[in-house]
Amino acid sequence: MSSPPVSSSAVAYEAWTSLAVPDWLNKGDNAWQMVSATLVGIQSVPGLVILYGSIVKKKWAVNSAFMALYAFAAVVICWVTWAYKMSFGEKLLPFWGKAGPALGQKFLIKQAALPATPHHFSNGALETAEIEPFYPMATMVWFQCVFAAIALVILAGSVLARMNFKAWMMFVPLWLTFSYTIGAFSLWGGGFLFHWGVMDYSGGYVIHLSSGIAGFTAAYWVGPRSKRDRERFPPNNVLLMLAGAGLLWLGWAGFNGGDPYAANTDSSMAVLNTNICAATSLLVWTWLDVIFFKKPSVIGAVQGMITGLVCITPGAGLVQGWAAIVMGVVSGSVPWFSMMVLGRKLKIFQMVDDTLAVFHTHAVAGLLGGILTGLFAEPSLSTLFLPVTNSKGGVYGGPGGIQILKQIVGALFIIGWNLVATSIICVFISFIVPLRMTEEELLIGDDAVHGEEAYALWGDGENLSLYKDDTTHHVTVSSGATQVV
């Protein structure tokens, strides 16, 4: 008599050891979560590294790309050493988790869990259980790490082409510790905004609003670029900029698709909505450029793409497809107005030099997305994701109107905290090293700061930059010495 056949699924889950394939492990969820983390990582490295290095003036290509690369690497070490548990560990304060390392084998191979997330009714009865995805803690730590990293990379866009690199090296761990972890724990890790029911599906507030406000604040304290750079700052490679933008767009599938912590129906909804909103926003921004400036701008299209991606992020898996189109229309028009009209008229935008307009593309779009999520969040989709039962957007009536108020309060907390924390961090650093580069470094660019340049114009790695409006020549010789004559 032949033995009964063994199903392929049983073989797939047959453990070599109980540690390698425990009973709680879902290989599909684990694989998708690691792919999602990799997609988000690719958004930063090489996505924003390429975009930053190509959208800036040629003399700042190396510095801009390197600021993004350095931030990514520094965040990884800080994250696993202390910051992960401050964001997703046990509760220390209503807005902050207890610091601690995420490096030990016993911690990393056990089932992922967010210990501060069990949600209770007012009478103490359990309403929503602790978040426990079906994969190991190591996967959760890495997935959340790349989100923290891209927040710093986005922030860097506000201070490109003048921030002292040594000051940036100090800024990254300080802002991660005293700003990012606060927002992450408050909204995602089981803090007071999480339990109050503020909706932030994938980081419209935690990442985009915070980095936009913090970037604008840091730009104020660092000071402006050189007068010449503010007047003329052409991209050095538009086609390469589009390559970076493409990596950013498609990488957003992991950004929003990974946040249900499972490969489920809500994840699919989030990915589709992400692309709908991004495409709509890009088209609307381009149409506005054509209507008012008579020319379609490639850089403008990229800005529109980014605002669409940012706007859908807080509600990607919570709204219906038609709402994603509406959000795309709003994200392609309101940030366009704030950048192209208000940005040229209001004194504050003239005073603060936000290099890549991160305030408009991330803070404004993130705020819009959060409020629109409070308006359009569909009840059944909200049930799939949120800890507070019966949550829904304002258009669905009943208590939905309260959700918009919650979204506004959550945004105000993130804005206020980042204004204060970022200011304190910048002032503190200024007592140790200058926040801004020297005038000579601002004049020369990459070679004065790093001893390297993006493009060799003549000779074997030698460079000659001629500034047409004065007699300053910048020469780099083979020894690496720099001479200004």
Side-chain angles (χ1 to χ4, degrees):
M1 180 181 295
S2 61
S3 58
V6 179
S7 69
S8 58
S9 60
V11 174
Y13 279 84
E14 186 176 297
W16 297 297
T17 70
S18 59
L19 289 177
V21 189
D23 293 338
W24 46 259
L25 178 67
N26 184 303
K27 290 186 176 181
D29 286 353
N30 192 35
W32 171 239
Q33 207 66 33
M34 290 192 290
V35 168
S36 294
T38 302
L39 288 170
V40 178
I42 288 172
Q43 289 184 290
S44 293
V45 183
L48 287 174
V49 170
I50 293 174
L51 194 151
Y52 285 4
S54 53
I55 201 172
V56 298
K57 203 171 185 177
K58 183 181 73 66
K59 72 174 186 177
W60 293 114
V62 172
N63 179 259
S64 300
F66 193 22
M67 284 184 69
L69 180 64
Y70 181 88
F72 189 89
V75 167
V76 172
I77 301 305
C78 298
W79 191 251
V80 298
T81 306
W82 70 80
Y84 170 78
K85 289 188 177 180
M86 295 178 74
S87 304
F88 296 95
E90 296 178 359
K91 176 182 174 181
L92 175 65
L93 297 170
F95 52 84
W96 222 1
K98 296 179 181 178
L103 293 166
Q105 166 262 344
K106 289 184 178 180
F107 175 78
L108 293 175
I109 66 172
K110 69 179 183 179
Q111 183 176 2
L114 305 184
T117 56
H119 183 70
H120 298 84
F121 291 106
S122 57
N123 62 6
L126 183 66
E127 181 176 359
T128 308
E130 177 180 357
I131 295 175
E132 292 183 314
F134 298 115
Y135 44 74
M137 190 68 81
T139 301
M140 176 66 78
V141 171
W142 177 237
F143 177 74
Q144 299 296 353
C145 177
V146 290
F147 278 79
I150 201 171
L152 265 301
V153 175
I154 291 169
L155 191 159
S158 292
V159 293
L160 297 180
R162 86 277 198 175
M163 187 170 186
N164 181 355
F165 200 86
K166 295 183 180 69
W168 179 242
M169 294 169 72
M170 297 181 64
F171 182 90
V172 170
L174 288 173
W175 190 82
L176 174 72
T177 303
F178 295 106
S179 189
Y180 181 83
T181 59
I182 301 295
F185 185 82
S186 297
L187 282 157
W188 287 345
F192 75 106
L193 294 176
F194 173 90
H195 288 293
W196 192 37
V198 176
M199 298 176 177
D200 189 11
Y201 187 85
S202 198
Y205 287 177
V206 174
I207 295 172
H208 300 292
L209 181 59
S210 65
S211 60
I213 296 297
F216 194 76
T217 306
Y220 168 79
W221 289 105
V222 173
R225 289 166 287 171
S226 67
K227 184 174 182 294
R228 176 187 297 151
D229 284 348
R230 290 201 76 179
E231 292 173 349
R232 179 166 172 75
F233 204 69
N236 67 84
N237 194 322
V238 173
L239 294 180
L240 200 58
M241 176 197 72
L242 287 174
L247 291 171
L248 189 66
W249 184 343
L250 294 185
W252 227 284
F255 200 105
N256 289 344
D259 262 302
Y261 299 147
N264 60 17
T265 54
D266 197 37
S267 177
S268 300
M269 192 75 184
V271 173
L272 180 59
N273 280 339
T274 297
N275 288 280
I276 291 173
C277 188
T280 304
S281 184
L282 184 154
L283 296 177
V284 170
W285 193 295
T286 302
W287 295 338
L288 290 172
D289 279 346
V290 171
I291 292 170
F292 289 95
F293 302 121
K294 309 306 178 185
K295 291 182 180 180
S297 166
V298 175
I299 296 177
V302 171
Q303 302 283 33
M305 175 203 82
I306 292 172
T307 56
L309 292 166
V310 170
C311 185
I312 194 62
T313 292
L318 304 176
V319 303
Q320 298 188 63
W322 62 263
I325 293 177
V326 174
M327 293 172 76
V329 172
V330 175
S331 65
S333 54
V334 175
W336 181 93
F337 180 79
S338 73
M339 183 189 299
M340 308 306 294
V341 179
L342 298 181
R344 300 177 181 184
K345 291 185 176 182
L346 296 185
K347 186 177 180 180
I348 189 172
F349 294 124
Q350 300 301 315
M351 181 179 66
V352 179
D353 182 16
D354 180 1
T355 309
L356 299 186
V358 174
F359 176 83
H360 304 284
T361 57
H362 292 271
V364 174
L367 177 61
L368 286 172
I371 295 173
L372 291 172
T373 297
L375 183 64
F376 294 128
E378 201 275 331
S380 61
L381 293 174
S382 298
T383 301
L384 297 175
F385 185 78
L386 296 169
V388 180
T389 55
N390 299 319
S391 295
K392 57 183 176 180
V395 299
Y396 294 96
I402 301 298
Q403 190 63 48
I404 300 174
L405 174 63
K406 291 182 179 182
Q407 298 302 108
I408 293 172
V409 173
L412 290 175
F413 173 77
I414 295 296
I415 291 170
W417 187 275
N418 277 278
L419 280 169
V420 174
T422 306
S423 295
I424 293 172
I425 291 168
C426 288
V427 172
F428 171 76
I429 294 173
S430 69
F431 286 116
I432 303 172
V433 296
L435 291 171
R436 192 168 180 259
M437 296 178 188
T438 65
E439 291 301 321
E440 180 182 350
E441 289 172 329
L442 291 173
L443 175 67
I444 296 170
D446 287 337
D447 196 34
V449 180
H450 302 287
E452 300 164 311
E453 291 193 6
Y455 308 103
L457 301 181
W458 63 277
D460 186 14
E462 298 175 335
N463 300 276
L464 176 63
S465 297
L466 299 178
Y467 295 90
K468 296 180 180 179
D469 55 346
D470 59 28
T471 58
T472 303
H473 289 193
H474 169 221
V475 180
T476 303
V477 296
S478 57
S479 64
T482 301
Q483 179 182 2
V484 178
V485 296

